[in-house]
Structures are given as structure tokens and as C-alpha cells.
Amino acid sequence: MGIAELQSIHVHPVKAFRGFSPRQAVVEPWGLAGDRRWVLIDDGGKVVTQREEPRLALAAAELSSGGGIRLSAPGREPLTVPVPEPGATVPVEIFGTKVEAVLAAEAAHAWCGDYLGAEVRLAHMDDPAVRRPIDPGHALPGETVSFADGYPLLVTTQASLDALNALIAQGDRAQEGPLPMNRFRPNVVVRGTEAWAEDDWTRIAIGEVEFRVTKICGRCVVTTTDQVTAERGKEPLRTLARHRRFANQLVFGQNLVPRSPGTIRVGDPVRILG
């Protein structure tokens, strides 16, 4: 294999929406700058994701000036949403835990609700340094996360995707492959490794930034959602169930926690430190 390097970077400003792929990104303690700081919630305050609404795959969010976001979706005029002014917060339920967040303007709720045909609101995490601690079973004191599923960053490798697609091609759902990396919604993708090498990582460095590798990533139904059409199939969960089942989880990728701030860039060398 060649030297491992950072192949791509992916930022998703709104959880479950399509994101964008910059050439570089600032790494903050709770994740990439701007990543998953916004989230949709239902009328009971529960987070809405592609698990419930696969059509969110077709909606896109990009960062705009001042930390705001620009939303777009099929059949909708784009909308720029500013960061809400500091003020009263509302409880957001994400995977059984409550996190405080600030609601966006009414226009943002209407835009998202009209697109989904559902009663939803858009909320912003105002202070990720204090709002949501990482699972204490896998965290050091004081570590926090945005509205990502559980950890600041997710890393995947191109070699592992190639290996997974080879396994899919051998199975009875071969017509569903090969799958693109966007099915797994990573933050960083590494090339130049052996397939599944990331299973054994405990510490890595991407350019100037070091990360602690905390936990393998268990996968859910979102991975079966075509991120271009929003249609669902059986893969990759069917193949992961046969070949990548660890401790009752179907796994692909690893979760990361930054050990230091900094900037990462496409092409940066990736060093395995442990």
C-alpha cells in the first residue's frame, strides 16, 4: 500500500441533510467547524433524521456568512437561515438524552415543514462546549459533541468500502452495488490503507491534528438509503450482517475525538499512532 492520506472531508451543517465537501476544515473539540450544529425536531422535541424521513437525503445545507446556513431542496426556493440570537432554549431529545438548543426563525420551520409535509422545527446548538457530553463510557472528562450521532468525527477508509463492495457483488443483492461512500456519511475518508485496517486503530493523526479512536461505528437503516434518490434497499446492512457483525452491531468506520484543535486538508498524511 502507499502512504495513507486524507482523501476527502465532509461537513453536514444540518443533521440528516446532504452536506458539502471542502478542501480543508477546522477541527474543533466537538467536531469539524459547522458540522451538525443544526437539527430538525418534531412537535415533541425529538430529533428527526433520515431514519424517519429518507427524503432528507435530497435536502442540502451549506454554511453561509456569520455561521448561518443556506437550505435547498427539490421544488423549494433556497432559504438562508441566520444563527438565532441568544435566548431561551428548548429541550431536544436525541437518542434518549435531552440537549438544550435555540430555535431558528419561523421561516425556517415553515420551509422544512412544507418540504417534508410534517410539523417540524429547526434548532441550533448555541454552545457545543457545554451542551452535550459524549457517552461517559467512551469519553474523557469534559469532552462534548454536536448533534452528530455520538462522537465528534467519523472516519472511513476507501479500501474498506472497496472490500465491502466486493462482498456485495458476491451476494444475492449484487444489483444494489457498488455503493458510494456517501451512504455512510463520514466526516473524513482515508485512502492508502489496507481494508479494515481502521478496526485496530487507537490513535491517529491527520496532518497536524491528533485524534483518539474511541469506538467502532454501528450502522443503521440510513446506510440503505440512496443519497441521490432517497430510495431504500437492503444493502449494505445485509452484507454487513454476514461479514461485519461485532458485538451485535453491524459496523463500518470508526468514531474519533480530537486531542488537539487545528486544520485538516485534503491530501494531508494520515499517521497511525497506536
Side-chain angles (χ1 to χ4, degrees), residues 4-272:
E5 66 177 24
L6 183 57
Q7 175 173 296
S8 59
I9 300 169
H10 306 276
V11 179
H12 303 87
V14 181
K15 185 178 182 66
F17 282 45
R18 185 168 72 246
F20 65 102
S21 302
R23 299 290 297 176
Q24 65 179 46
V26 173
V27 180
E28 298 174 331
W30 40 83
L32 298 182
D35 187 64
R36 296 174 170 95
R37 289 285 297 275
W38 302 77
V39 71
L40 282 183
I41 57 175
D42 64 18
D43 55 4
K46 189 174 181 179
V47 165
V48 177
T49 74
Q50 288 185 33
R51 295 167 177 82
E52 303 82 26
E53 294 283 359
R55 288 182 62 225
L56 288 175
L58 309 183
E62 297 185 21
L63 297 177
S64 63
S65 60
I69 51 174
R70 182 179 186 272
L71 306 179
S72 59
R76 306 287 303 164
E77 287 294 322
L79 178 71
T80 297
V81 183
V83 172
E85 294 292 330
T89 60
V90 297
V92 171
E93 182 182 343
I94 180 166
F95 304 129
T97 63
K98 294 293 181 66
V99 180
E100 294 297 315
V102 182
L103 290 177
E106 287 293 334
H109 308 331
W111 191 96
C112 297
D114 287 348
Y115 173 64
L116 290 179
E119 193 73 28
V120 294
R121 295 173 292 168
L122 183 65
H124 178 256
M125 184 180 286
D126 56 341
D127 189 354
V130 300
R131 289 298 186 198
R132 187 181 175 213
I134 296 174
D135 177 356
H138 298 278
L140 300 178
E143 290 182 335
T144 61
V145 62
S146 66
F147 284 124
D149 276 6
Y151 299 89
L153 283 89
L154 173 66
V155 60
T156 58
T157 69
Q158 184 61 47
S160 294
L161 179 63
D162 293 344
L164 178 61
N165 277 324
L167 292 171
I168 292 172
Q170 298 168 11
D172 55 5
R173 305 292 297 192
Q175 73 277 7
E176 291 191 26
L179 303 182
M181 190 66 84
N182 64 11
R183 289 291 188 95
F184 301 95
R185 299 177 64 81
N187 292 112
V188 288
V189 180
V190 175
R191 63 185 168 206
T193 70
E194 299 286 347
W196 316 121
E198 64 273 20
D199 290 350
D200 300 320
W201 296 348
T202 59
R203 288 189 305 125
I204 66 171
I206 301 175
E208 65 187 40
V209 185
E210 291 191 15
F211 300 88
R212 187 165 55 84
V213 183
T214 59
K215 182 180 178 294
I216 55 176
C217 185
R219 311 313 307 221
C220 70
V221 69
V222 171
T223 60
T224 69
T225 307
D226 188 314
Q227 298 295 297
V228 175
T229 67
E231 296 177 356
R232 282 196 171 142
K234 298 294 185 182
E235 295 292 359
L237 292 185
R238 177 172 290 202
T239 296
L240 290 176
R242 293 173 175 172
H243 299 279
R244 297 284 298 166
R245 185 187 293 273
F246 298 166
N248 296 320
Q249 288 189 313
L250 311 183
V251 305
F252 187 91
Q254 285 272 17
N255 291 294
L256 304 178
V257 177
R259 300 187 68 189
S260 60
T263 299
I264 57 174
R265 299 170 177 85
V266 171
D268 274 349
V270 177
R271 294 174 290 129
I272 313 307

